[in-house]
Amino acid sequence: MATGSAIRAPYAAAAGTPLRDLDVIDLGVVPYAECWDLQNKIASEVAAGARRETLLLLEHPHTYTCGRRGGRDHILATDDVLQREGIVVLDVDRGGDVTYHGPGQLVAYPIINLLNAAPKIDYPGYVRTLEAVLVGTLADFAIDAHTLEGYSGAWVASEAGPEKIAAIGVRVDGRGITTHGIALNVAPDLRFFGCIVPCGITDKGVTSIERVAGQAPAMPEVKAAFARRFAQVFGFRANEMARG
């Protein structure tokens, strides 16, 4: 998309800008490939003006996805381990390297039209804004998260150094329509990250709300907090969360 008036700092809806309607849909647990097809269908409808902009909230079964930078070489598990653990491996069209999705992790897929934002927002600005949404969501659960220069996502401090608590991998097509999104570790089994080099980063760890706080909030609470923060930052009026 054009970047002549683009921004790379976090976007904030201008005061007085009319709120846009956002459909928020809770899909529960859904296989990655099935949800990928659904994202593409909704994206086409949003682009055609046949559907409101949409935020999908869900969890995936155990899945490793490799983005446009690749990442198959960063999967450390053998085929036997992948089969035994029931882990699906997919190559997808989002940005980034390999990451893990699984139960206990909030996945959010915003399918919105960035051309509706004023001022216009480009790919880097969109990622920075998602980071702001994540940091705000984590603050709602008393977790002091931050961004990390040179890396995407949300991070927390630890004795071992910065640890990633939420990952971002998105796609923005030529129409300005977004797909893919964020993965926030609420209470996943973190050992699955040990079978990959997460996001291709070799010298930093991965953590979760459960590990940082000692216990995890209920997933519906995290979904509601993320949807509220997302709507506030991007300038939406979030419709009542629906079940998919």
Side-chain angles (χ1 to χ4, degrees):
M1 58 187 298
T3 59
S5 59
I7 56 173
R8 285 173 170 76
Y11 166 76
T17 301
L19 298 179
R20 290 135 57 203
D21 282 316
L22 178 73
D23 286 341
V24 182
I25 303 175
D26 182 352
L27 293 176
V29 180
V30 59
Y32 193 99
E34 178 181 329
C35 192
W36 193 7
D37 288 342
L38 177 61
Q39 286 185 71
N40 289 328
K41 176 179 182 294
I42 294 174
S44 294
E45 293 171 348
V46 169
R51 183 173 186 145
R52 286 192 290 254
E53 293 167 282
T54 300
L55 176 65
L56 303 178
L57 302 172
L58 59 135
E59 296 172 73
H60 287 307
H62 300 305
T63 310
Y64 291 140
T65 61
C66 302
R68 290 193 299 269
R69 290 210 311 263
R72 287 266 176 167
D73 55 332
H74 288 150
I75 298 176
L76 309 178
T78 64
D79 289 343
D80 288 343
V81 169
L82 294 174
Q83 184 173 7
R84 184 176 68 246
E85 298 286 356
I87 303 172
V88 174
V89 179
L90 294 170
D91 297 299
V92 300
D93 59 353
R94 60 162 173 79
D97 203 288
V98 65
T99 197
Y100 165 74
H101 296 303
Q105 181 190 73
L106 169 61
V107 174
Y109 294 135
I111 306 172
I112 65 175
N113 189 342
L114 294 187
L115 299 182
N116 288 337
K120 299 297 186 290
I121 177 174
D122 67 353
Y123 186 103
Y126 178 52
V127 172
R128 299 290 82 78
T129 308
L130 289 175
E131 289 172 343
V133 173
L134 285 165
V135 169
T137 300
L138 288 159
D140 290 338
F141 299 98
I143 292 179
D144 184 17
H146 58 271
T147 58
L148 190 63
E149 187 174 357
Y151 300 90
S152 65
W155 300 76
V156 296
S158 75
E159 292 182 358
E163 294 185 319
K164 181 177 278 191
I165 195 168
I168 297 175
V170 299
R171 180 173 186 264
V172 182
D173 69 17
R175 304 166 295 184
I177 308 299
T178 67
T179 49
H180 301 286
I182 66 94
L184 172 58
N185 295 330
V186 179
D189 186 341
L190 294 175
R191 69 187 175 90
F192 286 97
F193 286 99
C195 294
I196 60 173
V197 180
C199 303
I201 301 171
T202 59
D203 60 346
K204 293 175 176 59
V206 175
T207 193
S208 66
I209 294 178
E210 182 179 50
R211 176 175 284 182
V212 172
Q215 61 181 7
M219 186 63 75
E221 293 180 48
V222 185
K223 288 177 176 177
F226 182 89
R228 182 174 59 252
R229 289 282 186 172
F230 183 89
Q232 288 172 348
V233 171
F234 280 94
F236 283 106
R237 178 190 303 107
N239 298 315
E240 186 173 351
M241 191 178 300
R243 292 287 298 185

